Amino acid sequence: MNEKRVSFKALTALTSDPGATVASTSTAVQDTHWLDRNIPCRSACPAGTDIPGYLEAIYQGRHADAYAINLRDNVFPAILGRVCSRPCEDACRHGRDGNGDPVAICFSKRSAADLSDHPPAQLPALFPPTGRHVAVVGSGVAGLTAARELARRGHRVTVLEKHARPGGMMNQGIPAFRLPRDLIDREIGQVLAQGVEMRCGVEVGRDVTLAALLDDHDAVVMAAGTLRPHVPAMPGTDLGGVEHGLDFLLAVNEHDRRSVGKRVVVIGGGYTAMDCARTALRLGAEVTVAYRRPRADMVVLPGELEEFLEEGGTLVNEAAPLAIEGEAGQVTAVRFERTRAAAPGSDGRRGFETVPDSAFELPADHVIFATGQFPDATWIDAALAPVLVDRDGWLRSGATNTTARDKLFVAGDFAQGATTLIRAIGHAKQCADAVDRFLSGRDRVKPHIRIEPAFRSKLGERRTTGRTAAMNDIALHPMPVVAPAARALTVEVETGYAEPVAREAASRCYLCHYKFEIIDSRCVLCDECIKVKPVAGCIVEVAALLRDDEGRVTGYERVREGATDALYYNRLWIDQDQCIRCGACEAVCPVNAITIQKVTPGIAIA
């Protein structure tokens, strides 16, 4: 891809009019590129959540609006506000070097739910009834997301769930002290209110075959999750007192099991390991988590490991299990050997190797493996399995939404492998698009970008975003928690932000969905904006913009005295990646040369 040097004189032919006074929509590659590049949190969210939109609403005290924005995009705001893996926060501009911590995006999502006073919410239908009927196998977040989106498109949807209640891993895997059950019931109820039919206690492969579902429906979505446990091959895994974390959590969360060993060793370093370990602590056990990699490599939620240690747990890192020891058929200890850093693997992840002569034992009467899980495809009909499933049990179609079988689609972990709730939701939304395209023969819902003047002002009348440079220095608010001594199996540990704190936490957002631009034809080069800019590089003197072959801005050429063409000399450019949307430049401009546009994602009904 070639970069082109484009002068400001040619710029108006390549972008929408920054001085426009009415809203417009766009699918132009320049505008989609601007959205993807300049709102990194949204780009990092698999569900495409309008994050600055709901953070702005919280800052303004519009909590119900913030909840509605989340409901539209990620389906389960109260749930994800507690258990989301937060890829958005890793991408947040506020978390870059020198800027401090990322904005508390996840905690703010929770605030939108906790602080909004509204009855169960329902989104408007996108299309009238189509007469088409879709079956969804599995009622986890992927199945429910696909079901809701298809119902909004006018299709009749029936979800089949083999367990006694819907929710998948939300109920079966995530403990109540992290995710209260009334919130799950409420947000699943909102999905059902869209017209989705739920049938629990129906196991596909036993009560009805997949082939029969395909015969009786216009499309079928497989959203069965990853319920096949992975236990590493080693001696002693068949001893009494050894189980997988999926089985342990299901028994506790769904079947009221309240017994566990006195000394529990949990093997693993991810979300399931933490859930198992913290659950076992609440059942009265002494718990040690052992992980083969360093602590920094553990894939857990921020703060979760610290809460586990506060609750009395023990962590042993760089320890790889060798065998489970036992007597009389019962586990007595786990034998490990030490590991150390090694060269990165083919995936780029830091490698490790075992240390010779470093074996040691941890006493245990209960061992829980939290070492991953895979899709279980044994419920697929024998006649269909060779077309759909490889010998290792994985789908032949991989992570795509379609399969080799006409009318059969896949959503969530059953296609991707065990991931996170937000990734499963994003994948399920894509699946709903694919199913609707199949049923209707066209793309009926298309993404676009809405560009609107943010603030209409006349000379002397200034209105801006409300941000100030001082907001950049607000520290990240920690999540309030109950005291360790008060934590129990069904007592939620994190208590949420109070309303004033929620507003201040949301005010840290740079509001990257606002686009500040200088209209070159109006600018009189008075330098007033340069004098008040709060960030060194937010407004720069530019000789030219650099664009690729499709017109996307890839950078700019700074003015260098004596080195740049005088034709392009001394033009001003607002660098969106440095702009903090405070409006100081717009406020001092004497000729209204600086405009503010709001750029938000949307959909068009074809």
Side-chain angles (χ1 to χ4, degrees):
M1 189 175 291
N2 297 321
E3 283 192 334
K4 297 180 179 179
R5 186 174 184 268
V6 182
S7 75
F8 273 73
K9 301 299 182 183
L11 185 59
T12 55
L14 296 173
T15 63
S16 57
D17 180 9
T21 59
V22 296
S24 63
T25 60
S26 173
T27 57
V29 65
Q30 301 99 312
D31 293 322
T32 56
H33 173 69
W34 189 96
L35 191 80
D36 291 341
R37 177 171 177 173
N38 290 289
I39 311 180
C41 57
R42 179 189 176 275
S43 299
C45 176
T49 307
D50 181 10
I51 293 169
Y54 81 74
L55 290 172
E56 182 181 30
I58 293 172
Y59 169 57
Q60 295 173 350
R62 298 183 291 110
H63 304 301
D65 290 342
Y67 185 87
I69 292 169
N70 275 286
L71 183 69
R72 179 193 68 205
D73 292 335
N74 59 50
V75 190
F76 303 100
I79 292 169
L80 290 180
R82 288 160 167 80
V83 298
C84 187
S85 58
R86 315 177 197 181
C88 53
E89 294 185 11
D90 291 336
C92 176
R93 282 182 54 209
H94 215 311
R96 295 177 185 172
D97 289 345
N99 291 352
D101 292 309
V103 174
I105 297 173
C106 182
F107 293 165
S108 295
K109 193 193 318 290
R110 171 177 175 156
S111 295
D114 289 355
L115 300 174
S116 58
D117 182 15
H118 61 83
Q122 186 175 341
L123 297 177
L126 299 175
F127 298 97
T130 64
R132 300 300 185 94
H133 191 186
V134 181
V136 177
V137 181
S139 69
V141 293
L144 291 170
T145 297
R148 190 196 77 167
E149 294 301 294
L150 288 168
R152 292 189 68 203
R153 286 158 172 78
H155 308 304
R156 179 186 167 199
V157 183
T158 300
V159 178
L160 307 176
E161 170 57 54
K162 70 178 183 179
H163 290 281
R165 60 175 173 170
M169 295 307 293
M170 290 186 288
N171 278 314
Q172 299 160 24
I174 302 175
F177 58 81
R178 289 182 56 213
L179 183 58
R181 278 13 190 186
D182 60 328
L183 297 177
I184 301 175
D185 294 342
R186 178 185 175 90
E187 295 198 323
I188 290 178
Q190 292 177 163
V191 172
L192 302 184
Q194 299 288 159
V196 174
E197 177 190 7
M198 177 65 62
R199 295 179 59 196
C200 291
V202 178
E203 184 172 349
V204 179
R206 183 194 67 183
D207 302 312
V208 63
T209 65
L210 180 58
L213 291 179
L214 288 166
D215 288 340
D216 294 341
H217 296 81
D218 297 292
V220 175
V221 175
M222 298 187 294
T226 50
L227 300 179
R228 177 163 54 104
H230 171 252
V231 175
M234 67 180 67
T237 55
D238 58 344
L239 288 168
V242 177
E243 64 182 324
H244 192 273
L246 288 183
D247 300 324
F248 172 68
L249 291 172
L250 176 63
V252 174
N253 294 334
E254 290 289 87
H255 303 302
D256 296 322
R257 173 174 156 185
R258 295 296 180 265
S259 62
V260 73
K262 293 181 179 180
R263 292 182 298 185
V264 176
V265 172
V266 178
I267 298 173
Y271 304 117
T272 301
M274 282 294 100
D275 285 341
C276 290
R278 297 179 70 192
T279 297
L281 280 171
R282 284 158 172 77
L283 295 179
E286 297 176 5
V287 182
T288 299
V289 171
Y291 184 48
R292 60 186 180 174
R293 294 178 179 273
R295 176 170 172 168
D297 288 354
M298 297 182 72
V299 182
V300 298
L301 295 180
E304 189 174 22
L305 183 54
E306 290 75 14
E307 290 175 0
F308 164 69
L309 296 174
E310 286 177 357
E311 292 162 4
T314 301
L315 177 66
V316 177
N317 286 107
E318 297 176 300
L322 291 174
I324 312 298
E325 307 288 354
E327 293 179 5
Q330 292 293 314
V331 60
T332 58
V334 185
R335 183 155 49 92
F336 294 89
E337 61 183 344
R338 292 291 180 184
T339 66
R340 60 191 175 196
S346 58
D347 59 357
R349 190 180 184 191
R350 177 167 47 189
F352 70 93
E353 61 185 11
T354 57
V355 178
D357 302 320
S358 63
F360 68 99
E361 288 189 354
L362 290 177
D365 56 13
H366 200 123
V367 177
I368 300 174
F369 280 96
T371 46
Q373 61 251 31
F374 306 126
D376 179 4
T378 56
W379 55 272
I380 294 178
D381 305 22
L384 291 172
V387 178
L388 300 174
V389 184
D390 278 328
R391 291 182 178 179
D392 60 4
W394 289 89
L395 291 177
R396 290 181 178 273
S397 49
T400 63
N401 295 120
T402 58
T403 71
R405 178 65 163 81
D406 187 39
K407 298 170 57 175
L408 186 60
F409 299 82
V410 197
D413 290 1
F414 197 66
Q416 303 178 103
T419 55
T420 61
L421 297 188
I422 193 65
R423 283 195 62 194
I425 289 168
H427 192 265
K429 291 172 70 174
Q430 295 171 0
C431 180
D433 288 339
V435 173
D436 187 65
R437 188 182 307 118
F438 168 74
L439 295 176
S440 65
R442 60 191 176 94
D443 286 312
R444 297 195 297 165
V445 178
K446 295 182 179 180
H448 69 204
I449 296 168
R450 180 177 174 84
I451 304 170
E452 56 187 321
F455 308 104
R456 296 181 175 87
S457 61
K458 299 178 181 179
L459 285 174
E461 295 179 348
R462 304 294 181 184
R463 289 186 61 211
T464 63
T465 62
R467 281 208 94 245
T468 66
M471 291 175 179
N472 296 354
D473 298 326
I474 297 173
L476 176 68
H477 288 281
M479 170 57 70
V481 296
V482 299
R487 298 178 191 177
L489 197 61
T490 58
V491 174
E492 187 175 12
V493 173
E494 298 177 342
T495 59
Y497 286 154
E499 204 277 345
V501 176
R503 285 199 185 199
E504 187 168 82
S507 76
R508 298 179 68 240
C509 174
Y510 288 147
L511 300 180
C512 297
H513 58 330
Y514 285 110
K515 182 180 184 182
F516 283 69
E517 282 191 286
I518 297 175
I519 303 177
D520 188 44
S521 60
R522 295 183 189 173
C523 179
V524 294
L525 306 178
C526 66
D527 287 348
E528 292 300 317
C529 59
I530 295 287
K531 295 175 184 176
V532 300
K533 65 181 183 180
V535 177
C538 60
I539 303 177
V540 291
E541 294 180 338
V542 179
L545 294 181
L546 301 176
R547 291 180 177 268
D548 61 20
D549 291 337
E550 297 187 60
R552 294 173 291 204
V553 176
T554 59
Y556 52 77
E557 182 179 349
R558 294 290 297 264
V559 168
R560 290 172 291 132
E561 188 173 355
T564 51
D565 192 328
L567 178 63
Y568 309 116
Y569 181 76
N570 205 20
R571 295 294 185 261
L572 298 179
W573 172 254
I574 297 179
D575 187 339
Q576 304 294 319
D577 203 44
Q578 298 297 319
C579 175
I580 62 170
R581 277 68 175 177
C582 68
C585 59
E586 192 268 350
V588 300
C589 180
V591 292
N592 271 16
I594 299 176
T595 64
I596 311 173
Q597 295 175 308
K598 189 175 184 179
V599 184
T600 54
I603 57 172
I605 306 301

